[in-house]
């Protein structure tokens, strides 16, 4: 069984922390885009095309707890 979006996001955050990167969530297309990028990159200032290379995931819903 696959992880819920909450657990997937926690795993993405953990991996980003190990790599000394930042995770940014951004409302997008009726859901939430998850970006993992270097700390010096301002994800909201990038064009859609530039931002795309940092997208790690898109999630329709994000809960504040595990739903597995």
């Amino acid at each position: 069984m696959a992880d819920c979006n909450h657990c997937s996001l926690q795993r993405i955050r953990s991996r980003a922390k190990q790599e000394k990167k930042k995770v940014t969530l951004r409302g997008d297309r009726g859901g939430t885009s998850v970006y993992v990028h270097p700390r010096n990159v301002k994800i909201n200032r990038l064009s859609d095309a530039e931002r795309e290379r940092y997208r790690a995931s898109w999630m329709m819903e994000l809960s504040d707890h595990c739903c597995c």
Side-chain angles (χ1 to χ4, degrees):
M1 182 174 188
D3 288 343
C4 67
N5 285 345
H6 175 80
C7 290
S8 293
L9 180 59
Q10 296 309 312
R11 192 175 59 254
I12 290 169
R13 284 181 168 155
S14 177
R15 192 174 325 131
K17 186 176 180 180
Q18 290 173 352
E19 296 174 1
K20 296 184 179 359
K21 293 187 177 183
K22 184 176 178 179
V23 174
T24 300
L25 304 179
R26 192 167 192 268
D28 188 26
R29 296 180 284 173
T32 302
S33 287
V34 180
Y35 299 95
V36 177
H37 54 92
R39 294 181 187 276
N40 64 335
V41 171
K42 305 296 184 211
I43 205 75
N44 291 323
R45 294 185 182 170
L46 300 178
S47 70
D48 289 342
E50 293 171 320
R51 194 180 305 124
E52 190 62 33
R53 70 180 174 152
Y54 298 112
R55 185 193 311 265
S57 182
W58 179 86
M59 300 176 179
M60 183 167 283
E61 264 185 70
L62 268 176
S63 64
D64 61 353
H65 60 280
C66 175
C67 299
C68 293

